[in-house]
Each structure stands twice: as structure tokens, then as C-alpha cells.
Amino acid sequence: MKAAELFVQCLENEEVDYIFGIPGEENLDLMDALLDSEINFITTRHEQGAAFMADVYGRLTGKPGVCLSTLGPGATNLVTGVADANMDNAPLVAIAGQAATTRMHKESHQVVDLVSMFKPITKYATQVLEPETIPEVIRKAFKLAQAEKPGATFIDLPENITEMDVNELPLPSSENRLTFAHRELIAKAANLVSQAKNPLILVGNGAVRGRATSDIEHFVEQHKIPVVNTFMAKGVIPFYNPMAMGTAGLQKGDYENGGFAKADLVICVGFDMVEYHPHLWNPNRSHTIIHIDTKKAEVDKSYIPAVELIGNVGANLKALGNAIEKPITETKIDFLLREAMIGEMNRCSRSDAWPMLPQKIIWDLRTAMKSDDIAISDVGAHKMWMARMFRCDKPNTCIISNGFAGMGIAVPGGVSAKLAYPNSGVVAVTGDAGFMMNSQEIETALRCNTPYVILIWNDSQYGLIEWKQQRRYGRSAYIDFKNPDFVAYAKSFGADAVRIEKAEQLLPTLQKALQNPTVTVIDCPVDYSQNDRLTTLLGNVLSEIED
């Protein structure tokens, strides 16, 4: 068979359902081979959209999302989405066509060293130089993309390689199970918890990846220890659980409000340092830390664990809970974060203020959505409100990029979320700036029959940056812009669209849109002067570039 046909067979062997991408001259043979495959190729309108779709698909399913481009500018357009997946620990395999190896040694049209370009933003990047190596390359790319901690891999595929004849077969995959930590380490950790006066649990995205929700709930039933989650671990403990404190990592005040100031021991469960740097919650390096994860802890002067329980996150947490001899029945840590959130949402639940308050938008959104519906937040001021105020009772029902935090993820991410979970309602929650970065993928959504809702928080500026400029300098710089008529713009694609003109209109509009069998864009003006209230209520907002 041709090498392109073997390549597709190897993708089928990896149980790939969708490939997101754009065809080009250097992947002609691969595209032709895909016509005879059961793999669904989703033609996108921009390679960044394809990469973000693969990113969100991988995050939601645990299976590597796959994106494809041609060489040169097509491949460079993948970079942001691939980097986002890698830093958010979402499994992704990116594939790019490349010029023939016969012209790689010299200056040549559209040729850049893609392997070198992708190496810093992937776990593995390679070029196929012989057709016989295709099964090994693909198996390795998928194996590493899924291995803890998951991330992105990259395959560069020269066009002349795909034309060659080859006599190989796909390689079988092997089962991988994470193990228990050693009993002596579990006993040591249990003794530390028993001796602690004010233990606290910090849960990260690794607990979501490890499907540890039931183990966390069982643990806090045994031992009444408060649980704080990072942005990307929302829903890993249901907010209705009285031990759920809420989301930390947003503001400097989270040190006190999240219970860290009173805590003497922190049990970190699936914690990814990229989300919430330890010097912010362990500034004096005084906390005793228990690290429960699939990988040994990153070396950091503010994060030196007394014990590391490495392996299956949920199983090791369960073993720790059972090893603590005397149940912990009370805590002295105040639930300030939880109480402030509940109070603020209740205060604004019936607000008719115009433009709409962020709190009211989130109240209506949460009211309209079912517990297993999926919200995908873009990056901007609305992300801060979603992270803090949007209640979740199930993991992976509020997707927030908080590692790389790339703007433009929500609109394309909504497409792949709907493909992954066609029976769930999906809402892409985005600012006007993030919306315009990948709004072209509305056409992709309509063509692929993936009905979902796009909720635009419209303030005609880079609102998060304006917020921080005002707090630091007392004035803003170069953050304003003009938007198109979003309703007319959406309708030009063939989507439904509504402009919210008063606060009472949003909830019924959302409820109708979630039942609509097509894409619905909702343009909702927002009053971000409320950002200062969030700051006053819970402390200064953290800089997104702060270490």
C-alpha cells in the first residue's frame, strides 16, 4: 500500500474519530486516503481553530484530539492551539504536511524547520523520514500524548514519503495502569494528616484527568477537610458539597479567603503548578505538603512535599483516607470564599441593572444549563467571573484554559465539545475580543451540524487588561475597539442570533437557545465596572504573568 494509506490505518488503529484541519498541497495523498476511511475529517476555516478543537476534544474525552495542516504558514497557524493543549495537559496529536525531502536541504518555498519549532511546545516532535517508520512514529505520538502528564505531540510528514510503497502494519497499543504508592509512604502521610491542626485540600486538573471525583467525595465524608479547587478542576467536587470552598488562584486575597493562611498542612491532589504558583499560597514556606499525583513534584522552593504518593490519584487518596486512624470531624478554617460567592450571587440574582452585571449573567447561565451541560470559557475578564462564580457539580462541565490561557478557544472548542457529547448542551462563553479571533468557525459548526450557544460578553474593549491598567496606573492604554453588528454577522453565516436589550431577556433567550437545533449567537452587553467589586470583596486580582 501507499505510505499515506498506512498512515491512515495507523490513525484508525488509535481509534481516531475526528481530524480537525485544512487540506493543502503537501498532504494531498493523505487527504485522498482519508476518503476511504471511517475517520471524520472536519474541515475548519483556520488552522488555529482546528488546533483548539483538538485541544478541547482531548481535554473532554481523554483521547488525543488530532489536528492537521499543510506545511509552512499552515503549520505555524497550529502553534497557539498546540501550545495551549500542552500547557493545559490535554492530549493532542498535530500532523503537518511537509515539502519533499529532496528539497529540505536548501532554501525552498514555504519550508521551515517545523520539528524545531514544535519541540518547545510538545512532549515529542519528529519527522517521518522512511515510510517503514510510520507505525512506530504514530504509536509513540499517541502513547506520549496520553501518558501522564498528557500533552501535545507533533508529526512532520514530507509529501514524497506519503507517495512511497510500504509493507508494514499498525502496531498494537499496550494497557497502562497507574499503581499504588508504597504502604510506608501512605502511613507517613496519614500520620501527618492526623497531627495537623488545620488541614486543607487543594485539588487540580490531575484529579479530573484521573477520574477521582468519587474518591474525593468519599474522602471528605470520612474526614471533614475543606477542599479548594483550581480553575481547571471546577466540578471535581460538587459545589453542593459543604466541604467545597470554591475556586482559588484568581486573587491575592485567596491566601486568606481560600483557607491557606490558617492551614498548616495542604494535601495537593492532582495539582498542576502551572495554574496556581505555590509561592502565592505558601508564601512563608510554612505549610506541610502532601503531594498526590501521577508524577513526582516539580522542584520549587515553595513546594517541597513531606510525602509524595505517586500513581493512581484516586486510589492513593482513598488509601490515605482509610489509613487515617481517627476521622477528622471538624475544621477551624473559615469558608470565606464559599460564603462570599454565595452571598454575591444571591445579591445579584434578580438584578435588572443595564448593561448586565457579570454576576447576573452567570446566574442566568447556570440556571439555564443542566448540570451535565458544558460551558467553555474563553480568556478575558469574563474568565475571572466564570472561574469564581460559575457553580459546577460535575468535572469537565466548565472548560477553562489556565495553563497557556490562549484567547480564541471558546468558539472552536464549542464545535468539538458538541461532537464529543452530542446529547449535552454546550455554551461557548466569550468576550467580544476572543469571539472575533475565531468567529469564522461558526461556518464550521453549521456545516457539521453541531448546534451550540455562543454567549458574547460585549464591552468593546480588552476588559481584563483595562481592569489591570486602571488598578496599576489609574488610567488605561489602547484597549478600546469597535465591534461589528454581531447579530447581523452571525446571521450572515446562517446562524440564529439575538441581541439582549434588557436584563430580563437573557434567561429565556438562553433556555430557548439551548433547545435550538442550530448555532445561536447571543450578544449581551456587560458592565465590567463590577470588576472592582470582585476585587474589593475578595482581594486584588493576580497578574496573569506573575510567577
Side-chain angles (χ1 to χ4, degrees), residues 9-16 63 135 138-140 142-143 146 171 173:
Q9 283 191 13
C10 289
L11 295 177
E12 292 171 337
N13 185 60
E14 299 294 340
E15 300 181 352
V16 172
K63 295 172 54 179
I138 292 181
R139 180 79 283 272
K140 185 173 182 179
F142 277 81
K143 184 176 182 177
Q146 284 187 285
L171 298 180
S173 60

Side-chain angles (χ1 to χ4, degrees), residues 184-480:
E184 290 182 6
L185 293 175
I186 292 172
K188 181 179 178 180
N191 185 53
L192 290 172
V193 177
S194 298
Q195 293 178 351
K197 295 180 180 179
N198 293 309
L200 180 70
I201 300 171
L202 173 60
V203 180
N205 188 34
V208 178
R209 298 193 304 269
R211 308 289 194 268
T213 295
S214 60
D215 299 299
I216 293 169
E217 288 191 82
H218 180 69
F219 187 92
V220 298
E221 286 176 9
Q222 290 177 291
H223 310 289
K224 304 302 180 186
I225 301 177
V227 179
V228 180
N229 61 265
T230 63
F231 284 36
M232 291 167 63
K234 286 179 71 68
V236 74
I237 180 170
F239 191 73
Y240 60 71
N241 190 305
M243 290 292 104
M245 293 271 279
T247 303
L250 174 61
Q251 295 165 306
K252 293 179 180 178
D254 285 355
Y255 175 65
E256 292 84 13
N257 299 320
F260 295 100
K262 280 193 175 182
D264 58 344
L265 178 141
V266 181
I267 305 171
C268 295
V269 183
F271 171 65
D272 294 332
M273 196 178 294
V274 71
E275 279 209 82
Y276 188 19
H277 199 283
H279 85 256
L280 297 167
W281 54 265
N282 190 22
N284 303 316
R285 302 181 221 168
S286 58
H287 294 324
T288 299
I289 297 172
I290 296 174
H291 175 81
I292 304 177
D293 204 357
T294 57
K295 292 283 188 179
K296 291 184 178 180
E298 175 69 84
V299 175
D300 186 274
K301 63 185 179 183
S302 298
Y303 193 82
I304 307 297
V307 182
E308 299 188 38
L309 306 182
I310 306 304
N312 186 300
V313 171
N316 281 327
L317 181 65
K318 183 177 180 180
L320 173 61
N322 292 336
I324 299 169
E325 294 183 0
K326 185 179 179 181
I328 298 169
T329 58
E330 60 180 5
T331 178
K332 295 179 181 178
I333 292 177
D334 298 318
F335 285 69
L336 299 176
L337 196 61
R338 179 184 179 90
E339 291 166 1
M341 174 183 161
I342 292 173
E344 187 67 4
M345 294 304 289
N346 288 338
R347 184 184 72 86
C348 299
S349 62
R350 297 182 180 179
S351 169
D352 60 359
W354 188 257
M356 288 190 70
L357 304 184
Q359 303 95 310
K360 174 61 173 170
I361 295 175
I362 290 176
W363 180 275
D364 287 353
L365 181 64
R366 180 69 277 175
T367 302
M369 296 178 70
K370 298 175 183 176
S371 62
D372 56 356
D373 286 345
I374 301 167
I376 300 172
S377 175
D378 213 285
V379 175
H382 68 281
K383 169 184 161 181
M384 302 303 166
W385 285 98
M386 287 291 290
R388 179 69 84 200
M389 298 290 182
F390 187 76
R391 308 180 313 279
C392 291
D393 294 332
K394 296 181 181 180
N396 272 342
T397 56
C398 182
I399 299 297
I400 297 176
S401 173
N402 202 39
F404 196 64
M407 288 182 72
I409 190 173
V411 174
V415 177
S416 55
K418 192 65 179 179
L419 289 171
Y421 291 97
N423 296 323
S424 295
V426 175
V427 181
V429 183
T430 179
D432 43 7
F435 171 75
M436 289 302 294
M437 289 184 180
N438 275 312
S439 59
Q440 73 281 347
E441 302 305 340
I442 292 174
E443 190 278 326
T444 307
L446 290 164
R447 175 169 28 89
C448 296
N449 192 28
T450 51
Y452 71 111
V453 182
I454 301 171
L455 176 60
I456 305 170
W457 296 37
N458 189 342
D459 69 330
S460 297
Q461 61 180 202
Y462 292 104
L464 179 61
I465 304 306
E466 197 269 344
W467 183 6
K468 293 184 176 183
Q469 288 175 342
Q470 287 290 344
R471 292 200 62 79
R472 181 173 296 186
Y473 303 111
R475 59 182 183 173
S476 56
Y478 313 111
I479 45 80
D480 295 309

Side-chain angles (χ1 to χ4, degrees), residues 53-182:
M53 289 177 195
D55 176 7
V56 172
Y57 187 86
R59 177 114 171 249
L60 285 171
T61 65
K63 295 172 54 179
V66 181
C67 54
L68 173 71
S69 77
T70 188
L71 83 173
T76 59
N77 281 343
L78 291 175
V79 165
T80 298
V82 171
D84 193 88
N86 202 51
M87 290 197 73
D88 283 0
N89 298 128
L92 177 148
V93 175
I95 304 162
Q98 182 57 285
T101 55
T102 53
R103 62 184 179 101
M104 293 288 290
H105 64 287
K106 58 188 177 182
E107 182 179 315
S108 192
H109 180 64
Q110 291 190 317
V111 171
V112 293
D113 184 350
L114 296 178
V115 173
S116 295
M117 186 175 73
F118 277 90
K119 272 186 177 178
I121 58 170
T122 59
K123 296 174 70 176
Y124 169 67
T126 193
Q127 184 179 68
V128 178
L129 294 175
E130 299 289 342
E132 289 79 12
T133 64
I134 286 172
E136 291 179 341
V137 167
I138 292 181
R139 180 79 283 272
K140 185 173 182 179
F142 277 81
K143 184 176 182 177
L144 291 179
Q146 284 187 285
E148 281 289 331
K149 293 181 179 181
T153 60
F154 172 74
I155 301 171
D156 177 300
L157 186 61
E159 60 180 332
N160 62 322
I161 299 295
T162 63
E163 299 170 356
M164 295 179 181
D165 291 328
V166 63
N167 185 25
E168 293 289 343
L169 293 172
L171 298 180
S173 60
S174 57
E175 188 174 351
N176 179 33
R177 293 188 179 182
L178 294 168
T179 59
F180 282 95
H182 196 282

